[in-house]
Amino acid sequence: MGLDVPGIEKALLTGKWDDGLSTSADAPVIKIARNVVNGDFSDLKTPPSRDLFTVTASPDAVLDRPFAAWFKFSEASAVPSTVEDELLRLACAVACLHAFLQANWTGPDLDIEPLDILTLTPELSQAVNEDLIHQKAVAELAYGGEPAYHLAKAPFFLLLARLLLDTPFQHLQSVPWWRLRTWRIHEQVLDEPVAVPPDVITSVDPLLESFAVEPDIAGRLLLEQGLLEHYVGHDKSAADYFVRAARATQLEYELTGALGKRTKFQQTELTQLILLAESRERNTEGGSDTAARLETSGAADGEGDSTAGSQGLRLPGPATAAIPETLKLDDDTLLEQTAFTSSSTAGTPGSRLSHIDPAAQPALHPLDQSILLALCLNVKNLSPAHGLTTEQMAPYIARVLSHPRNWSVHTMALLLRSRLEANRTRTVERATLQLQALVDQMPTADAPLAERLLYIHSIVLPSRWEMEKELALRFLALGVVKSALAIFERLEMWEESVRCWQAMERADKAVAIVRDLLEGRKAEADTVIARGKALSDSRKQGLDAAREAKLWCLLGDLEPAHALEHYTRAWEISRASSGRAMRSLGGYYFARGNYPEAITCLRRAVAINPLLSRSWFILGCACVREEDWEGARDAFVRCVTIDDEDGESWNNLASVYLRMGQAGKKVAADDGSDETGNAAQEAQREDAEKRIPFSNKLLAFRALKQGLKYSYDNWRMWANYMIVAMDVGELSEACRALTRVVEERATKDGAAAVDEDVLDKLVDAVARGSAESGEGKPEGAAAGAAAASTGLARRVTDLFELTILPRVSSPRISRARARLLTAQERYEDALNAYLDAYRAGPAGTMERGETDIAKWREAVGEVEETVDVLRNFGPRVEGFKWKLAARSIVRTFVGRTKDFEDEPEWARLTALQEEIRRED
């Protein structure tokens, strides 16, 4: 019988071996593949696997040549390969990748070393040792200007997996998927996420069609694509992949509410947020799915959604497998988990999950649990950082924790819960201790390796050093600085160690650490520094360029007086590959106003690593200072592409659009003499503003609208949005923006918070719309104009009555309101508003003895205008004695300002008095 190639590939992908594959053929590669699936990598040390790793380089070339030139398999691109050869390469690549994961992610400790799998000549055996392999592997894993973590265990295995997967494959279809998995692990080894080659994600798309009839495999693939997108910061794309993964596995889930209690002393049941979820029935795993369907919440070590299901039936299966230690809360008030009321009508009416009892939900498949954890991460990515997000994420985690099914998935759920609980006083202790327990469990053998690796690619479990770093940061946040420092020094994370020394106000120690590392004399430092690992001569010589460049940058941060020298040295040492060095130089020049140099450095930095939005933001600001509008636009566009919640970047992007002409070009002003004076320059600027294309104004409007979703309290952005909205004719949005500006500024600035010019234009638009809605237009057009006018009128009315008038008032605001009321034919209210404006204006507030002639002349005009208003609208108000009001206004004003009777305008007042008297 021939090899069942698709079956072997499927077994390697899913981590589950079908015994039928062992009987299909007796080729050695089948035994190797089976052992790899079962977590046994010992075949790497024996032929034919070891034959792949025969080092062919000469002893003199070993030190200088990259690993790709050491082996024959990297030169086989032109030689046709057999199916067995390709399967052997794939199985060895998977074994190397999983060996690296075992050493750095899942534990227990790895029992093979890189030298165990290499075939070396006697001469090479003397030149090649573990230190050399480790140093070269760390150096070659540096990518995109970011160094790899130098204390990662057995990094050679990760590099070897990449080299094997980069060789040509003609008969196997799953290789692009393994490249995707390897790239995600590689990303997690680097200091910062970097952009992956574009084909890494797209090359696996054809596999979706191949596995369309395998829901779980298709769901895994979509989930892993989304996790890579998530890690590099493409949140919207990741969210789409996660939803598609849930659809592929036919996972049903719904975030809803159910009655329950959260505290021990709570008497009344209140609506609590809950995630209802149900996996599809799977018949391929024997009795384990029967157990999953019969288990109820709370059946697994008390971790259910409530205590109601604690008597649930337990059957053998994954749910009873060894799982990480789950710490109890033991709080005097809070329950261990929300106790939901048993009900058969949970969920939204008509929902497919309405039959689920919230107090006894069925167990989920581990793959579906992984998808829920990914969706939980998506909630965090796409929501602002506040308590509501925490409450929305918690039900996803609680649903996974209720039924432990897999060691790695349960570890990830506990880690996410500890992150959520770290900011609450009642749960911070459990959060820290739980994180410590997760770190301590890594070296243990409480669960089989195959169980730990089964879903390791379907979650974003951090590496062992990242988890320890997170624990140290937790200690640092709690003020336990020395414990955090001990962890950072053991992990040789010197940047974080420096933060600890600075927190203890010992910046001199921080400088000493970095200098000792660079000069190779760390062991000679005092006892505090000596707790860290000393560098041997071989380690000092093998200090890779990327890591050394990072240390020079760190020293530049610590010694501002010599920062330029240190940053430049870092760039030179890295051979023009350190993104950190260029970012530091760009920030240095920008802070000192040398914007051309800052632009040069930052362009190099973003070319090396384009995923860091802060670098793009500073580059955009530098371009704005240099009036390079095209460069600024491109930079801010990249900012909001990376992080679409960056309100400041949206605001700056809108500002840039308003300074650009057609096709992204700068608006050019007419040439003129510098001697024309300020007036000519002002006219020139106004002319340039008029020539801003409408399309650019519309782009600015959309950018501000997007940015305000994430900067809702930024009144300056609302003010900009208001002006741009008026320019593009979005009057309702301008009204909304003015509302927000008044709400934010009225308490501090009073009436100055109201942009009266914008208010007048809004009122004029309502008045004009009311007048035009039914005149001289076809019936359909009149109806549309009336509808638009009615909507704007309602908004402007609410603006006055609910926002402005309860807070501030001024004569101009009152007159604007009066015009609005007039357009609405509310004449009595309009008259009262006009009178309010008169009383608050110069005429109404003028006292006897006033000597300001200009103010008096303005007041005379107000008196005449108010009398005209009374004449026009007074007769329309039943019972309103407008003549008496007009006579009283003129008589009172004349009596208060007799000192101005020699002025020409006085005759107008006396004539006005005579006219009113004759009208009686």
Side-chain angles (χ1 to χ4, degrees):
M1 297 178 65
L3 288 173
D4 183 2
V5 177
I8 295 175
E9 287 190 87
K10 177 182 174 182
L12 289 170
L13 286 171
T14 61
K16 298 175 182 177
W17 186 259
D18 184 354
D19 291 335
L21 296 173
S22 302
T23 60
S24 62
D26 56 358
V29 71
I30 293 183
K31 173 179 174 293
I32 295 173
R34 183 184 69 239
N35 290 341
V36 170
V37 169
N38 294 330
D40 180 5
F41 313 129
S42 59
D43 287 325
L44 289 173
K45 299 187 289 185
T46 60
S49 303
R50 188 165 181 173
D51 296 340
L52 273 177
F53 308 128
T54 301
V55 179
T56 59
S58 65
D60 295 335
V62 162
L63 295 177
D64 300 328
R65 299 176 69 183
F67 280 122
W70 282 27
F71 308 107
K72 289 182 179 179
F73 63 75
S74 59
E75 303 172 358
S77 58
V79 180
S81 57
T82 64
V83 174
E84 290 83 355
D85 290 340
E86 293 189 5
L87 274 176
L88 177 63
R89 272 187 278 143
L90 178 61
C92 290
V94 175
C96 290
L97 179 62
H98 284 179
F100 181 73
L101 287 173
Q102 177 186 345
N104 297 281
W105 263 260
T106 65
D109 293 338
L110 191 62
D111 58 358
I112 60 174
E113 298 290 342
L115 278 180
D116 296 340
I117 70 172
L118 295 179
T119 302
L120 303 170
T121 63
E123 295 81 5
L124 285 173
S125 298
Q126 297 178 359
V128 177
N129 54 45
E130 293 289 353
D131 277 346
L132 172 66
I133 293 175
H134 181 96
Q135 293 157 11
K136 284 182 65 67
V138 169
E140 291 190 27
L141 285 173
Y143 182 80
E146 298 298 329
Y149 180 57
H150 63 288
L151 292 188
K153 295 181 179 180
F156 177 67
F157 286 123
L158 175 61
L159 188 62
L160 204 54
R162 281 200 54 190
L163 292 176
L164 286 167
L165 292 171
D166 285 341
T167 58
F169 288 83
Q170 301 170 359
H171 306 287
L172 306 183
Q173 61 175 348
S174 64
V175 174
W177 192 342
W178 284 107
R179 289 194 185 113
L180 174 78
R181 290 178 167 182
T182 306
W183 265 106
R184 186 164 72 83
I185 301 303
H186 191 181
E187 285 277 346
Q188 292 184 258
V189 175
L190 302 176
D191 275 7
E192 299 283 351
V194 298
V196 299
D199 64 329
V200 170
I201 294 180
T202 58
S203 63
V204 299
D205 288 341
L207 294 178
L208 290 174
E209 298 180 7
S210 303
F211 293 119
V213 296
E214 299 274 2
D216 285 351
I217 298 181
R220 274 194 192 223
L221 179 55
L222 290 166
L223 176 59
E224 292 177 26
Q225 287 178 281
L227 290 177
L228 181 56
E229 292 278 32
H230 154 76
Y231 194 81
V232 297
H234 299 160
D235 297 333
K236 289 189 174 180
S237 176
D240 179 61
Y241 278 117
F242 296 153
V243 173
R244 290 172 62 193
R247 194 178 301 126
T249 65
Q250 300 173 34
L251 168 65
E252 298 286 347
Y253 65 96
E254 177 185 4
L255 195 64
T256 184
L259 292 177
K261 299 178 181 178
R262 299 181 67 175
T263 67
K264 296 178 180 179
F265 308 107
Q266 187 173 338
Q267 299 297 317
T268 305
E269 294 176 335
L270 301 175
T271 301
Q272 311 289 344
L273 196 61
I274 186 175
L275 183 77
L276 300 178
E278 186 176 38
S279 297
R280 80 174 197 281
E281 292 190 7
R282 291 169 168 84
N283 299 318
T284 60
E285 297 182 29
S288 62
D289 274 293
T290 304
R293 288 194 299 274
L294 293 178
E295 278 188 89
T296 56
S297 293
D301 299 327
E303 281 297 317
D305 291 330
S306 76
T307 58
S310 60
Q311 304 300 320
L313 178 63
R314 298 193 63 179
L315 297 176
T320 59
I323 60 170
E325 179 185 4
T326 304
L327 300 183
K328 300 296 183 182
L329 182 59
D330 290 334
D331 186 71
D332 59 356
T333 302
L334 293 178
L335 293 170
E336 290 291 332
Q337 60 276 323
T338 303
F340 289 100
T341 304
S342 182
S343 170
S344 59
T345 58
T348 306
S351 167
R352 283 176 288 187
L353 300 177
S354 58
H355 65 282
I356 293 180
D357 184 351
Q361 295 199 57
L364 296 174
H365 189 273
L367 178 58
D368 291 333
Q369 291 182 335
S370 302
I371 294 174
L372 289 183
L373 293 180
L375 291 167
C376 168
L377 291 173
N378 184 53
V379 170
K380 183 178 181 181
N381 289 344
L382 300 181
S383 302
H386 52 59
L388 184 59
T389 301
T390 299
E391 292 298 323
Q392 191 176 352
M393 292 172 68
Y396 289 87
I397 299 171
R399 185 67 182 91
V400 174
L401 289 175
S402 62
H403 296 94
R405 301 297 305 280
N406 175 266
W407 186 92
S408 298
V409 176
H410 198 64
T411 297
M412 187 68 204
L414 290 174
L415 175 63
L416 290 177
R417 187 183 69 176
S418 76
R419 290 173 180 172
L420 292 187
E421 293 182 344
N423 297 319
R424 297 183 60 190
T425 56
R426 289 190 176 273
T427 56
V428 64
E429 181 180 1
R430 199 256 294 266
T432 306
L433 294 176
Q434 182 68 72
L435 185 54
Q436 178 73 67
L438 294 178
V439 171
D440 294 341
Q441 74 171 351
M442 291 292 184
T444 64
D446 57 350
L449 177 59
E451 169 78 7
R452 298 186 182 202
L453 291 173
L454 193 57
Y455 295 98
I456 191 65
H457 298 290
S458 301
I459 54 178
V460 282
L461 188 68
S463 60
R464 184 184 301 185
W465 67 82
E466 282 294 332
M467 202 172 292
E468 290 192 64
K469 176 184 176 182
E470 188 170 338
L471 176 62
L473 291 173
R474 189 76 52 83
F475 284 153
L476 191 59
L478 295 174
V480 192
V481 181
K482 288 195 174 182
S483 296
L485 177 62
I487 296 176
F488 287 138
E489 288 190 340
R490 176 166 51 79
L491 297 175
E492 295 190 3
M493 294 182 174
W494 305 119
E495 193 162 2
E496 287 75 18
S497 299
V498 163
R499 287 176 54 191
C500 292
W501 284 114
Q502 290 175 326
M504 293 188 289
E505 299 182 357
R506 295 297 305 274
D508 57 319
K509 292 289 186 182
V511 174
I513 285 178
V514 180
R515 285 203 172 276
D516 289 343
L517 286 166
L518 289 169
E519 296 170 12
R521 52 181 173 82
K522 187 175 187 308
E524 300 173 4
D526 61 29
T527 55
V528 176
I529 299 178
R531 286 203 304 265
K533 183 182 296 183
L535 288 175
S536 64
D537 290 341
S538 60
R539 286 285 299 277
K540 177 63 179 69
Q541 293 171 1
L543 191 65
D544 64 276
R547 181 174 167 238
E548 187 175 357
K550 181 180 177 181
L551 290 174
W552 279 109
C553 291
L554 184 56
L555 186 60
D557 296 341
L558 293 171
E559 296 181 343
H562 304 286
L564 180 59
E565 175 187 346
H566 296 329
Y567 296 151
T568 305
R569 178 76 180 276
W571 178 247
E572 294 170 351
I573 287 175
S574 70
R575 302 182 187 90
S577 65
S578 172
R580 168 73 181 272
M582 277 295 108
R583 292 194 295 271
S584 299
L585 278 171
Y588 175 88
Y589 286 124
F590 183 86
R592 286 155 181 79
N594 190 347
Y595 302 118
E597 287 292 337
I599 291 173
T600 301
C601 293
L602 291 169
R603 286 194 190 281
R604 291 175 180 171
V606 297
I608 295 170
N609 187 352
L611 291 184
L612 300 179
S613 61
R614 188 63 184 171
S615 300
W616 286 107
F617 183 83
I618 299 175
L619 174 60
C621 293
C623 290
V624 167
R625 299 293 179 90
E626 288 295 300
E627 298 188 3
D628 177 7
W629 307 121
E630 292 180 62
R633 177 200 59 192
D634 295 342
F636 289 126
V637 165
R638 291 301 294 266
C639 281
V640 298
T641 301
I642 296 170
D643 180 10
D644 65 349
E645 296 184 11
D646 187 354
E648 195 171 0
S649 293
W650 283 112
N651 182 66
N652 290 353
L653 179 60
S655 178
V656 169
Y657 280 136
L658 294 176
R659 289 167 170 79
M660 299 176 69
Q662 286 285 5
K665 302 298 182 184
K666 178 180 175 181
V667 176
D670 294 335
D671 293 334
S673 172
D674 292 338
E675 301 177 359
T676 54
N678 292 335
Q681 293 176 8
E682 183 66 26
Q684 194 177 55
R685 282 196 297 270
E686 291 178 0
D687 183 55
E689 288 179 4
K690 291 178 182 178
R691 289 186 284 111
I692 297 174
F694 179 80
S695 59
N696 279 15
K697 294 180 180 180
L698 195 59
L699 288 171
F701 169 78
R702 292 170 179 167
L704 285 168
K705 187 174 184 179
Q706 184 72 14
L708 284 169
K709 295 178 182 178
Y710 313 108
S711 297
Y712 189 74
D713 296 331
N714 189 333
W715 68 265
R716 290 182 175 85
M717 281 187 67
W718 281 109
N720 294 341
Y721 183 59
M722 174 180 66
I723 300 301
V724 177
M726 291 297 298
D727 277 352
V728 299
E730 293 284 349
L731 301 185
S732 293
E733 289 298 298
C735 183
R736 185 167 75 97
L738 181 55
T739 301
R740 287 293 301 137
V741 172
V742 174
E743 289 173 348
E744 292 292 328
R745 295 185 60 202
T747 302
K748 181 178 180 181
D749 297 337
V754 182
D755 190 320
E756 294 174 338
D757 292 335
V758 171
L759 187 64
D760 284 340
K761 290 180 180 179
L762 290 173
V763 171
D764 291 342
V766 173
R768 187 168 53 251
S770 299
E772 295 177 355
S773 59
E775 297 181 3
K777 292 188 177 183
E779 184 176 349
S789 175
T790 301
L792 179 60
R794 185 165 53 251
R795 284 179 175 268
V796 176
T797 300
D798 291 343
L799 172 64
F800 276 108
E801 296 180 354
L802 303 180
T803 304
I804 295 179
L805 295 180
R807 292 175 173 84
V808 297
S809 184
S810 73
R812 190 169 174 184
I813 291 174
S814 296
R815 281 194 291 273
R817 181 167 183 262
R819 295 201 312 278
L820 175 66
L821 294 170
T822 301
Q824 297 171 341
E825 298 183 356
R826 296 167 56 187
Y827 298 116
E828 184 175 1
D829 293 335
L831 280 174
N832 290 329
Y834 275 121
L835 292 176
D836 289 340
Y838 172 80
R839 296 186 191 102
T845 58
M846 186 167 288
E847 302 291 339
R848 292 182 182 274
E850 180 66 54
T851 59
D852 188 343
I853 184 65
K855 181 179 179 181
W856 179 79
R857 287 171 177 165
E858 181 184 356
V860 170
E862 280 193 3
V863 170
E864 293 175 329
E865 180 184 351
T866 304
V867 170
D868 286 342
V869 167
L870 289 170
R871 281 174 175 163
N872 290 331
F873 302 124
R876 303 185 187 186
V877 180
E878 185 178 353
F880 185 78
K881 299 180 179 179
W882 66 270
K883 295 179 182 178
L884 178 62
R887 189 165 56 250
S888 175
I889 286 173
V890 178
R891 184 173 61 245
T892 302
F893 182 75
V894 168
R896 289 179 179 175
T897 60
K898 287 187 176 181
D899 294 340
F900 296 98
E901 58 186 356
D902 294 334
E903 297 297 328
E905 289 82 359
W906 187 264
R908 289 160 48 190
L909 290 174
T910 56
L912 187 60
Q913 277 185 309
E914 285 299 321
E915 290 178 11
I916 296 173
R917 188 177 298 114
R918 284 197 300 270
E919 289 175 358
D920 287 342

Coordinates of all heavy atoms in Angstrom, one line a residue, residues 762-772 789 819-820 823:
L762 N -26.4 78.2 11.6 CA -27.3 77.1 11.8 C -28.7 77.6 11.8 O -29.6 77.1 11.2 CB -27.0 76.4 13.1 CG -25.7 75.6 13.1 CD1 -25.4 75.0 14.5 CD2 -25.8 74.4 12.1
V763 N -28.9 78.7 12.6 CA -30.3 79.3 12.6 C -30.7 79.8 11.3 O -31.9 79.6 10.9 CB -30.3 80.5 13.7 CG1 -31.7 81.2 13.6 CG2 -30.1 79.9 15.1
D764 N -29.8 80.4 10.5 CA -30.2 80.9 9.2 C -30.6 79.8 8.3 O -31.5 79.9 7.5 CB -29.0 81.7 8.6 CG -28.7 83.0 9.3 OD1 -29.7 83.5 10.0 OD2 -27.6 83.6 9.2
A765 N -29.8 78.6 8.4 CA -30.2 77.5 7.6 C -31.5 76.9 7.9 O -32.3 76.6 7.0 CB -29.1 76.4 7.8
V766 N -31.9 76.9 9.2 CA -33.2 76.5 9.6 C -34.3 77.4 9.0 O -35.3 77.0 8.5 CB -33.4 76.3 11.1 CG1 -34.8 76.0 11.5 CG2 -32.4 75.3 11.6
A767 N -34.1 78.7 9.2 CA -35.0 79.7 8.7 C -35.2 79.6 7.2 O -36.3 79.7 6.7 CB -34.6 81.1 9.1
R768 N -34.1 79.5 6.5 CA -34.1 79.4 5.0 C -34.8 78.1 4.6 O -35.6 78.1 3.7 CB -32.7 79.5 4.5 CG -32.6 79.5 3.0 CD -31.2 79.9 2.5 NE -30.2 79.0 3.1 CZ -29.3 79.3 4.0 NH1 -29.3 80.5 4.5 NH2 -28.4 78.4 4.5
G769 N -34.6 77.0 5.3 CA -35.2 75.8 5.0 C -36.7 75.8 5.2 O -37.5 75.3 4.4
S770 N -37.1 76.5 6.2 CA -38.5 76.6 6.5 C -39.2 77.4 5.4 O -40.4 77.1 5.0 CB -38.8 77.2 7.9 OG -38.2 76.4 8.9
A771 N -38.5 78.5 5.0 CA -39.1 79.3 4.0 C -39.2 78.7 2.6 O -40.1 78.9 1.8 CB -38.4 80.6 3.9
E772 N -38.2 77.8 2.3 CA -38.1 77.3 1.0 C -38.8 75.9 0.8 O -38.9 75.4 -0.3 CB -36.6 77.1 0.6 CG -35.9 78.4 0.4 CD -34.4 78.2 0.1 OE1 -34.0 77.0 0.2 OE2 -33.7 79.2 -0.1
S789 N -35.2 70.1 6.7 CA -35.3 71.3 7.6 C -35.8 70.9 9.0 O -35.4 71.5 10.0 CB -36.2 72.3 6.9 OG -36.4 73.4 7.7
R819 N -34.6 84.5 16.2 CA -34.8 84.2 14.8 C -35.3 82.8 14.5 O -36.1 82.6 13.6 CB -33.5 84.5 14.0 CG -33.1 85.9 14.1 CD -32.1 86.3 12.9 NE -31.0 85.3 12.8 CZ -29.9 85.3 13.5 NH1 -29.7 86.2 14.4 NH2 -29.0 84.4 13.3
L820 N -34.8 81.9 15.3 CA -35.2 80.5 15.2 C -36.7 80.4 15.5 O -37.5 79.7 14.8 CB -34.4 79.6 16.1 CG -34.8 78.1 16.2 CD1 -34.6 77.4 14.8 CD2 -34.1 77.4 17.3
A823 N -38.9 81.7 12.7 CA -39.0 80.8 11.6 C -40.0 79.7 11.9 O -40.7 79.2 11.0 CB -37.6 80.2 11.3

